[in-house]
Amino acid sequence: MCRWAAYLGRPIFLEDIVSRPGHSLIRQSHGAVRCQTPVNADGFGLAWYGERDEPGLYRDVMPAWSDPNLRSLTATVKSHLFMAHVRASTGTATSRNNCHPFAVGRWSFMHNGQFGGYDTWRRAAELLIPDALYPHRKGATDSEALFLCALGEGLEDDPRGALARATARFEALARQRGTAPHVRLTCAFSDGRRLYAARYATDDHAPTLFHRWSDSRAGRAVVSEPLEVDEADWLEVPPGSFCVFEGDTVTITPFVVQPLREAA
Amino acid sequence: MCRWAAYLGRPIFLEDIVSRPGHSLIRQSHGAVRCQTPVNADGFGLAWYGERDEPGLYRDVMPAWSDPNLRSLTATVKSHLFMAHVRASTGTATSRNNCHPFAVGRWSFMHNGQFGGYDTWRRAAELLIPDALYPHRKGATDSEALFLCALGEGLEDDPRGALARATARFEALARQRGTAPHVRLTCAFSDGRRLYAARYATDDHAPTLFHRWSDSRAGRAVVSEPLEVDEADWLEVPPGSFCVFEGDTVTITPFVVQPLREAA
Amino acid sequence: MCRWAAYLGRPIFLEDIVSRPGHSLIRQSHGAVRCQTPVNADGFGLAWYGERDEPGLYRDVMPAWSDPNLRSLTATVKSHLFMAHVRASTGTATSRNNCHPFAVGRWSFMHNGQFGGYDTWRRAAELLIPDALYPHRKGATDSEALFLCALGEGLEDDPRGALARATARFEALARQRGTAPHVRLTCAFSDGRRLYAARYATDDHAPTLFHRWSDSRAGRAVVSEPLEVDEADWLEVPPGSFCVFEGDTVTITPFVVQPLREAA
Amino acid sequence: MCRWAAYLGRPIFLEDIVSRPGHSLIRQSHGAVRCQTPVNADGFGLAWYGERDEPGLYRDVMPAWSDPNLRSLTATVKSHLFMAHVRASTGTATSRNNCHPFAVGRWSFMHNGQFGGYDTWRRAAELLIPDALYPHRKGATDSEALFLCALGEGLEDDPRGALARATARFEALARQRGTAPHVRLTCAFSDGRRLYAARYATDDHAPTLFHRWSDSRAGRAVVSEPLEVDEADWLEVPPGSFCVFEGDTVTITPFVVQPLREAA
C-alpha cells in the first residue's frame, strides 16, 4: 500500500507535512517506527500549487528518505495547497512515470489502493481514456488511468460524480475480468482551489483516510495515516465518503458507485 | 536520430563494438567528433545473448559516456550476438521503459527512425498489439509498439513478412492520421541465433545501414553508421532491403511493404 | 567547459533564464544550435533564494533538457536571486555530488573552468579545507574544494580577498605539481543578498563572463554566455575582474591573485 | 546495517545467490519477511569475476528489488566468484560512489559494520590512504577508506595482516577521536582467486558471518545472514576470525588487531 498526505490552508513549507512530523510521510516511508507495514521505497512525488494555475510536480524513483533534492525542495518551497505521495510498488519496475501525483493542466491526483487483477484488463481501462487525454497517458498504473478516465467523465464540473462514474467503470472491469477485492480506493485530487478526497471499497477494507485542522497553522492536513501518533484529534472519514475541503470547511457526502452492466 | 550497432560472430567483449572503436557507439553518442548530428544522450541500452534463451538487458537514462556500470559491463561480458543503442529523444521525458532494445522472451529489437505524427495516432498503434502481448507494453515509443505488433504478426515464423505487415499497418496509420515523412525505419532484431535487419522509408531518406565482416574477429558488425572512419570496407545496405545474418552468411532480399487500405 | 547563468532582481520564474530564452541555459546545454562546443549533458543544478537564508538546491545527473522535474521546478518557483549550471564532465563518472552549485549555509557557489592537472594534486587541495568545513566535502571536484577553501579564507567578510587567496593557493599547487594552463576560472557565488562573480586566468583564455540589465524585468542576468544571440547589449567583463551585483548596481574591481611560494 | 553475500565455486548464475533463495539478498533488502531489521534500500552492488582479472562492477542507488537491470544481469551473468551487497545508509545522501563493493585493479571489497564517530575523523582516515591510491577515493564511506588503507598496508601479499593493520589504524582513530562502539566489522574481499572474510568488533556485537558448502552446486556461499531459514547447516564464524576460502577449502585463523598508540 502507498501512503499520502495533502494540505490546504495558510501557506507552509512543504517539510512541515512531508518530513518534520514524528510520523511524517518520509518517516512512514521508511517503515522504521512501527514496521507492521511494508516499506514505501518505490518512488515518491510532490504536487504543489503556487502562483500559477498548474501545480509544480516533482517525482523520483529513489526512496524519499535519501533524496537531497526532496529535502531541499520541501525546506524552501511554501504552498497553500499541496500533495505528497510515497509508493510501494508490487513487483513492477519503478519509473518516474508511474509515480504519483499525476497532473493534467491544473488538476493533480494521487491514490492509495488497488483494482483486482488490473494487469489482465489494463488495456480495457486505457480504452476508457478519451482521445484528447490519451497523450497524458505516460505510465502503466491503474491510478493514472483512473484519473484520466475521471477527467473524461467531467471531473472539472462534477468532481464527485465524475470520480464515481470512472470508479464504476473500473469496478465493472474488475468484476468482469479481474479478481477480488475489486476496488480499494482512497484518493485525493485538486484543481488548486479545493482539495477533494474519496474513500471507497467493494469489501470491508477501504484504505484509511484522516484529516485534522490545526489552529496554530490555520490549515488542514488530509492523510492516509495520521502524521503524529500522539495527536488524538485526527478525524477518520468513513468508507463510502467523498470529501470537499475548502478554506476551513469540510463537506462530507456519500460516495456512491453505481454498478454498471457494461464496463466500456 | 538514434544510432545502434549489433554483432554476430565469435564471442567478443561488448566493448569491442560499444566503446573501443575510434567511432564507437559511445563516441558517436557524444557527437564530439563530427558534430554534424545531434547528440545521443537520452538513454542507451544493451541486449546480449549468452547461455540462456532470453537476452540480458541493460538500459539506463544517463548519457552512455558517463555511466560506469555500462563501462564495466561492456568490459567484462562476452557475447556471440548482441545489440547496443544510443537514443536521441525528441522532447519527451527520458525513461528506461522508452530505451531500446526491447525484449520479449528470446526476441530483442531496436530501431532508428520515425513514424510521421506518431503522437497523434499512438493509441491506434497500440490497438495493433495483441492482448497476449499487451503486458509487454511498458513505455510509449513507436518502436516498442512496432516490435509488439510484429510479434503479433508472426515474427517467430516469418521475420521478414511479419515486420513488413507491421510496418504496413503503421504506414497506413501515418498516411491516414499522421504527417510526412510517413515511415523512416532501420531496425535490427534477433532471436539469439540469427540477426535480422531492415532498411526502409516512404521517402528518399531511409536511415543508413551498414555491415562489415572482420576476419581477425571472425564476426560481423551491423550498424547504423560505420564504427571506424578509416575502414573502407563497410558495405551499405540499400533502402528497401531485409537482411538475415547467420554465421558468416548474409542474405539480403527486398523488403516490400504492401499498402493497406485500412490500418487496423 | 561548463556553462552557467545567474539572476538578481525582481522575482521571476526560474524558467525565464533557465529554459525560455532562445539561447537559454538548457538550449546551450544541448549544443544543437551552434554545435561548435561540446554538449553539456553531465548533470545540472539550481540554487535559488527565497524566504529562508539557505538556498534551495536541485541537482541531478540527467541531461537538463530531458528532466521533467527541472522543467516543472523552473516553471513554478520564483526567486529574486538564483543560479543555474550545466556541466560537461571530462571523463569522470557523473554524480549529484559533483554537480554545481554547491551550498554551505546561506552561501552558494558555481564555477566554469579548470585547474591544470588537478587530479594529481586533489589531496593537497583538500588539505586546504578547514576541519570544520570538511564534512561539506561531498564530491571530488576542484570547484567544490575551491569553494570550501574560500569559505575558510573568510568569504563571509571579504568575498574578493578570500576568493583571491583561495585561488592563489590552488594556482600555487597547479604550478608546483600540475600542468598548464594553471588556472582558468569564471565563477559566481552568493549569500542570498549580493551576487558575486570573478573572471581570471593564468593564460589568455579566461572563460567569458557577461551581464545585462533588463528594464522590463527590473533585474540583471549574469552569465557565462549570452542568453540571446540577437541582444546587442550584453556587457563583457574583462579578465582579471571581480564583480559585485547588488540591486541594480554593478561594482567591478580588479581581481588580483598574489603568487604564493608555498601552496599549503 | 548492510547485508552481503559472496560465492566461490563452480560457476552459477548470480541470481542463484542474489535473488532466488527464499531469504535471498534481495528479499533481505526488502525486510518484508521478518521486519525486525531496517530495510536495505539505499543502493546495492555486484562485483563478479569472469575471464578478465578485473571484476565486473554494477552499482546503483535504487532499491535492489525494483531494478530491472539488476534482475536481468543476475539472470544472465555466470561467475565462479562474486559478491553482492545491499546498503542501509544512516542519513547521508545515497550515491553510486558510496555503494559497495569497491574495486581497485583485480581486488574487490565489501563491508558491513561501523566505525564509531567516523564523520568526525573522516579526513584523518583519508590521510591513511597512500598517494598512489588516492585517485581511487571516489566517495565518502569508511568502508572505501578502509579498503584503500588495507591495500596500502599490503593486501596483495598479506591479506590478513594488511587488513588487521588497517583496522588497527581505524580503531586507534575511533578511540582517540570517535565514539564507542569503536569497531564492528564483517567484510569480504577477493582478488578473483581466493575469497577472504573477517569478523571482528571491539565490543560483543561483531556483525554475523556464515558460510555453507553446497554439494549439488559444488560451491560455497559466504554471507552476513543465512540465505534460507530452513537450512540448518550454515556454519557461523566466531568473532575475531579471518577466513580464506579457496576451492572447497576453508581456513580460519584468528584475526588479531594490535592496539596502536598513534593512529597515523
Side-chain angles (χ1 to χ4, degrees), chain C residues 182-244:
Chain C
H182 299 109
V183 181
R184 287 180 183 167
L185 173 147
T186 297
C187 67
F189 56 103
S190 178
D191 59 357
R193 287 179 298 237
R194 294 186 192 85
L195 177 66
Y196 304 93
R199 183 182 181 195
Y200 173 75
T202 50
D203 64 2
D204 292 337
H205 296 82
T208 55
L209 175 61
F210 296 86
H211 65 96
R212 179 177 178 273
W213 175 264
S214 162
D215 275 330
S216 63
R217 193 176 267 160
R220 185 180 306 274
V222 181
V223 301
S224 61
E225 294 194 19
L227 298 177
E228 301 279 3
V229 281
D230 58 348
E231 289 169 349
D233 49 350
W234 287 93
L235 300 173
E236 183 164 4
V237 175
S241 300
F242 187 82
C243 313
V244 182

Side-chain angles (χ1 to χ4, degrees), chain A residues 60-63 66 94, chain B residues 44 58-62 67-70 96, chain C residues 60-61 94 96, chain D residues 40-47 57-70 73 85-88 94-101:
Chain A
D60 208 343
V61 298
M62 300 174 71
S66 66
T94 305
Chain B
F44 63 86
Y58 179 65
R59 306 186 295 180
D60 209 342
V61 297
M62 300 173 71
D67 181 19
N69 285 332
L70 179 64
R96 283 190 184 177
Chain C
D60 209 342
V61 297
T94 305
R96 282 189 187 179
Chain D
N40 297 80
D42 297 320
F44 64 87
L46 297 173
L57 201 62
Y58 179 65
R59 307 187 294 181
D60 209 343
V61 297
M62 300 174 71
W65 64 79
S66 67
D67 181 19
N69 286 332
L70 180 64
L73 254 179
H85 189 276
V86 290
R87 185 162 176 259
T94 305
S95 150
R96 283 189 184 178
N97 288 332
N98 288 340
C99 291
H100 305 225

